[in-house]
Amino acid sequence: MTSAEIRVTVRTASPYDVVVGTGLGGRLPEVIGDALRVAIIHPEALVARGDACQASLVEAGYEAHAIEVPNEESAKTSDVAAYCWSVLGRSGFTRSDVIVGLGGGSTTDLAGFVAATWLRGVRLVQVPTTLLGMVDAAVGGKTGINTAEGKNLVGAFHEPIAVLCDLAALDTLPAGEVISGLAEIIKCGFVADPRILDMVEQEPSGARDIGSDVLRELVVRAIRVKAGVVADDLTETAAADPTGATPGREVLNYGHTFGHAVERVERYQFRHGAAVAIGMCYAAELARLAGRLDDATADRHRHVLELVGLPISYRDGLWESLHEAMRVDKKARGDALRFIILAGLARPTVLAAPDLTLLTAAYDAISSD
Ligand code: GLY
């Protein structure tokens, strides 16, 4: 291990390490360990990286297969999963073999789902190549695909045996994607680790710079937050507590109820992080209007998100569509909406079934012409 490498252990029933460093390309054999076959699931856009990974695994003595899938969300379909199952079947993939998910959050969600379902579960190593993937999708064991009725409606909890976050992979990431990833990092700041907010406020340009020590520390801090939350509530069962006193993993949904609605209204042509940023501003206004959150913390949302170039308002005149989209959100209970809000900095709680007047007032507070 080089000195610049940091390991965060996710202490679930089967603990695993998330390794954060630069130039981790050669580390796969070490984390895969004993296996005959390895399948690397990667998107079309990463064909060169997929081929290089396959070659290095062959050199290390594995029978390695690269499975190319469509880019981004187009990979998360039952047809693509069936294609992966068919490659595994033709390759004679057994329970002791390993799947590697190499790509952004959509690829790692698909690879995780294929690993969860093939032979009722084979080992999985996640190698996220986007900031969002590193701080969220690849860590925590949520896997899934979409159906015509909505996103992530079919899936399973299936934890990886290791996650390799190679910061060198971010070199080619468009600036907009880096900023999008920062929204999930800032979310971790609001729900659990306010030092993240201090760091972004002190060095916003460092936060956006993929080669900086600031971003490296932000990534590690966000992963630590996620690791702590999923270790306590891997399968999000704490959310069953009707009082919301122990929201558990649901805290990671901060900003997502309204954010998912924005994505749906925008027909998913909107960056996830941008939608979550708007969703956090909405949640902050809801909490303020409900008398649960102080003005300074509510205002801080706009300040910190704007500093890194994330949106803090959304178009007005769309309440009906947004409301309908929130009602079909996976986190809704029956007809009652449910939000993670803050009762203070790093004090997440649940706001269940808020009044319509409160919901629309919060929309008014964040909407722009
Ligand atoms: N992305 C939210 C979670 O992993 O629970």
Side-chain angles (χ1 to χ4, degrees):
M1 188 164 94
T2 66
S3 58
E5 228 173 81
I6 295 174
R7 280 172 189 262
V8 179
T9 303
V10 185
R11 299 190 189 283
T12 44
S14 306
Y16 59 95
D17 281 348
V18 182
V19 184
V20 182
T22 305
L24 301 179
R27 304 295 298 281
L28 260 179
E30 180 189 320
V31 295
I32 290 172
D34 198 17
L36 184 62
R37 297 172 198 83
V38 181
I40 307 131
I41 297 180
H42 67 83
E44 285 166 22
L46 295 184
V47 67
R49 252 181 242 182
D51 287 349
C53 184
Q54 180 190 20
S56 72
L57 289 174
V58 167
E59 198 172 311
Y62 297 100
E63 180 188 314
H65 302 265
I67 306 180
E68 185 178 311
V69 297
N71 293 327
E72 301 181 357
E73 287 291 307
S74 314
K76 290 177 62 173
T77 68
S78 53
D79 282 351
V80 176
Y83 166 69
C84 296
W85 293 324
S86 132
V87 175
L88 298 179
R90 283 183 275 119
S91 314
F93 224 72
T94 70
R95 266 222 179 111
S96 55
D97 296 327
V98 173
I99 289 177
V100 173
L102 171 73
S106 304
T107 310
T108 56
D109 278 4
L110 169 78
F113 181 66
V114 171
T117 46
W118 183 252
L119 300 178
R120 299 195 180 91
V122 296
R123 286 177 293 158
L124 167 73
V125 175
Q126 296 286 35
V127 185
T129 57
T130 63
L131 192 55
L132 265 174
M134 291 180 189
V135 299
D136 193 30
V139 180
K142 275 190 181 175
T143 75
I145 56 172
N146 306 327
T147 72
E149 289 70 32
K151 287 181 72 171
N152 296 324
L153 292 180
V154 177
F157 289 100
H158 186 69
E159 292 182 277
I161 56 168
V163 182
L164 295 180
C165 299
D166 186 349
L167 298 172
L170 302 180
D171 279 349
T172 50
L173 199 65
E177 285 298 318
V178 175
I179 292 171
S180 180
L182 283 170
E184 292 284 0
I185 292 175
I186 290 169
K187 174 199 77 180
C188 292
F190 277 112
V191 300
D193 179 6
R195 175 75 190 128
I196 287 176
L197 306 179
D198 298 341
M199 288 177 63
V200 173
E201 284 165 344
Q202 282 157 17
E203 292 191 64
S205 53
R208 286 195 305 258
D209 175 359
I210 45 105
S212 73
D213 289 345
V214 176
L215 185 60
R216 176 183 298 252
E217 185 173 342
L218 288 172
V219 168
V220 171
R221 282 184 174 271
I223 292 170
R224 281 197 184 118
V225 169
K226 181 145 194 188
V229 169
V230 301
D232 286 345
D233 182 25
L234 177 70
T235 53
E236 214 166 305
T237 36
D241 172 6
T243 68
T246 52
R249 184 167 183 158
E250 203 182 2
V251 301
L252 299 173
N253 203 41
Y254 187 53
H256 283 59
T257 306
F258 192 84
H260 283 156
V262 168
E263 287 183 286
R264 198 174 167 97
V265 166
E266 298 287 342
R267 297 175 192 275
Y268 299 101
Q269 302 303 306
F270 206 87
R271 286 196 208 281
H272 178 68
V276 169
I278 294 166
M280 285 192 278
C281 292
Y282 182 81
E285 293 306 331
L286 261 187
R288 185 203 317 252
L289 290 162
R292 307 278 287 276
L293 185 62
D294 59 280
D295 284 340
T297 308
D299 292 341
R300 199 172 180 188
H301 285 70
R302 292 171 194 249
H303 179 244
V304 70
L305 293 165
E306 203 168 25
L307 270 178
V308 294
L310 282 161
I312 56 171
S313 62
Y314 188 58
R315 291 183 287 151
D316 66 4
L318 292 172
W319 173 249
E320 294 304 329
S321 311
L322 291 163
H323 193 201
E324 183 51 30
M326 286 193 282
R327 281 152 46 96
V328 299
D329 190 89
K330 286 199 300 303
K331 303 293 190 290
R333 303 290 156 90
D335 269 348
L337 295 185
R338 185 177 161 92
F339 294 84
I340 294 295
I341 59 163
L342 297 182
L345 205 49
R347 288 177 54 209
T349 185
V350 172
L351 180 67
D355 284 349
L356 187 60
T357 48
L358 197 64
L359 292 168
T360 53
Y363 178 51
D364 288 345
I366 62 128
S367 55
S368 58
D369 297 338

